[in-house]
């Protein structure tokens, strides 16, 4: 099969993963509002934040969305290309005219097509190994490219290397997010684990503040010191959160190594008739 582009359904999965990742990062917000491919983007953004309901989305908010999409799908695109495709030049000048003439086309489906035309796909197709076609080997080569997308100068790794030994922090989050949408969300969903991590970090920070305040109060220190100490604990909480994230392993027991992941992707492609890319 000629590898030329990701499918529309894969891109839509990726957008859903991006929204879910954003909401997981802000644990106190409700889960993202699901969308349908033909839903308007501006109306969906309004539904996520009730105070925006009925108001026109600011052009700068749309620019932020496009930057997130470009980072998520790893492609370059000028603001003019986005603007020309959705007639956002009209949106910025005369919202009512844009609403009347072009708003109906401002949908997630059209965004998915726009992205699919520009993003360079990674192939997970089977490769020939010693005269035999091997799906997991092809998937592993694709995984190597994906790791290089999310992490600059990654260490050398083989199929038996543990995924978490190579990828940590945001590199792992974006790597797994792409694995999820490439496989049509067949890979395990880890967003709730990171939502719980965010909650734990905040509780740790509050506990540190209370402990510090109690210690200082027991010595009857000036209240100003208590106030300053509370802010001093914030970097400590961030450090503790980072250490927890690096030590924890959110992956299931049967999906620890790159070989495990390659087999998962290869099995998914063979069962679904090799849908990783459109030819």
């Amino acid at each position: 099969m000629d590898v030329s582009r990701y499918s529309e359904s894969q891109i839509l999965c990726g957008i859903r993963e991006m929204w879910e990742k954003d909401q997981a990062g802000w644990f106190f917000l409700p889960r993202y509002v699901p969308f349908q491919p033909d839903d308007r983007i501006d109306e969906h953004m309004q539904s996520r934040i009730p105070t925006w309901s009925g108001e026109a989305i600011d052009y700068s908010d749309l620019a932020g969305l496009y930057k997130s999409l470009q980072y998520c799908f790893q492609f370059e695109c000028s603001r003019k290309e986005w603007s020309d495709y959705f007639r956002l030049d009209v949106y910025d000048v005369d919202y009512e005219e844009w609403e009347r003439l072009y708003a109906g086309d401002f949908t997630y489906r059209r965004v998915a097509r726009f992205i699919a035309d520009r993003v360079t796909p990674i192939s997970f197709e089977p490769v020939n190994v010693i005269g035999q076609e091997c799906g997991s080997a092809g998937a592993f080569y694709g995984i190597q490219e994906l790791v290089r997308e999310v992490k600059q100068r990654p260490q050398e790794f083989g199929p038996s290397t543990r995924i978490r030994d190579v990828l940590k922090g945001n590199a792992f989050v974006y790597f797994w997010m792409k694995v999820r949408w490439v496989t049509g969300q067949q890979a395990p969903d880890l967003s709730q684990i990171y939502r719980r991590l965010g909650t734990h970090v905040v509780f740790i920070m509050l506990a540190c503040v209370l402990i510090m305040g109690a210690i200082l109060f027991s010595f009857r220190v000036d209240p100003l010191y208590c106030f300053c100490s509370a802010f001093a604990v914030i970097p400590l909480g961030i450090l503790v959160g980072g250490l927890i994230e690096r030590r924890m392993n959110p992956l299931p027991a049967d999906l620890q190594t790159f070989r495990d992941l390659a087999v998962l992707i290869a099995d998914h492609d063979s069962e679904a008739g090799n849908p990783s890319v459109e030819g």
Side-chain angles (χ1 to χ4, degrees):
M1 178 182 292
D2 176 36
V3 179
S4 59
R5 57 187 283 144
Y6 291 117
S7 69
E8 180 182 298
S9 62
Q10 285 177 302
I11 300 296
L12 288 170
C13 281
I15 297 174
R16 291 187 181 98
E17 286 296 310
M18 186 186 74
W19 283 135
E20 182 71 10
K21 184 260 179 189
D22 288 345
Q23 295 299 87
W26 297 97
F27 69 94
F28 47 80
L29 293 177
R31 289 176 63 86
Y32 86 99
V33 178
F35 65 84
Q36 298 301 317
D38 293 315
D39 286 348
R40 276 178 48 180
I41 295 173
D42 55 327
E43 291 179 348
H44 177 252
M45 292 177 68
Q46 290 171 335
S47 69
R48 298 173 71 223
I49 303 178
T51 56
W52 287 3
S53 180
E55 299 182 6
I57 300 298
D58 190 84
Y59 187 83
S60 62
D61 294 316
L62 296 178
L65 170 63
Y66 297 152
K67 289 179 181 178
S68 297
L69 289 170
Q70 287 177 220
Y71 184 81
C72 175
F73 293 99
Q74 293 292 300
F75 72 100
E76 295 294 330
C77 179
S78 68
R79 181 176 293 190
K80 186 177 186 304
E81 287 181 80
W82 286 107
S83 181
D84 291 347
Y85 191 76
F86 293 107
R87 296 309 309 270
L88 296 180
D89 53 331
V90 180
Y91 183 104
D92 196 29
V93 175
D94 189 339
Y95 176 77
E96 291 184 359
E97 182 179 356
W98 179 86
E99 175 78 25
R100 181 171 57 86
L101 297 176
Y102 307 111
D105 292 330
F106 193 45
T107 65
Y108 283 104
R109 188 184 303 278
R110 289 201 74 219
V111 165
R113 292 171 181 170
F114 179 88
I115 294 172
D117 288 339
R118 290 161 176 78
V119 68
T120 302
I122 292 176
S123 173
F124 295 90
E125 290 188 311
V127 296
N128 191 285
V129 179
I130 317 178
Q132 291 187 337
E133 192 175 78
C134 182
S136 58
F140 177 71
Y141 291 147
I143 290 170
Q144 287 180 311
E145 289 189 49
L146 179 51
V147 170
R148 286 192 288 269
E149 269 195 3
V150 300
K151 184 176 182 180
Q152 293 183 346
R153 297 183 297 277
Q155 67 187 69
E156 293 293 328
F157 64 91
S160 61
T161 305
R162 287 165 51 90
I163 297 171
R164 291 291 283 167
D165 288 344
V166 177
L167 297 169
K168 301 182 187 298
N170 282 333
F172 174 76
V173 172
Y174 280 101
F175 171 81
W176 200 256
M177 185 169 65
K178 187 155 189 175
V179 167
R180 284 267 297 163
W181 66 257
V182 165
T183 61
Q185 296 184 318
Q186 295 301 307
D189 181 9
L190 306 180
S191 61
Q192 286 304 308
I193 294 174
Y194 283 97
R195 185 181 290 265
R196 289 195 296 271
L197 172 63
T199 306
H200 294 161
V201 170
V202 169
F203 281 135
I204 290 171
M205 290 171 61
L206 290 175
C208 290
V209 170
L210 292 174
I211 292 171
M212 185 72 71
I215 293 173
L216 293 175
F217 182 77
S218 66
F219 288 102
R220 300 189 181 281
V221 181
D222 190 315
L224 178 62
Y225 286 100
C226 296
F227 181 78
C228 295
S229 298
F231 279 96
V233 170
I234 293 177
L236 176 62
I238 295 173
L239 175 61
V240 170
L243 292 174
I244 292 175
E245 190 280 329
R246 286 180 174 273
R247 291 186 63 84
M248 71 179 292
N249 183 8
L251 293 172
D254 60 347
L255 199 54
Q256 293 293 310
T257 68
F258 287 103
R259 178 186 290 112
D260 297 334
L261 180 57
V263 171
L264 174 74
I265 294 175
D267 288 348
H268 168 264
D269 280 2
S270 62
E271 291 173 4
N274 207 351
S276 287
V277 291
E278 292 180 344

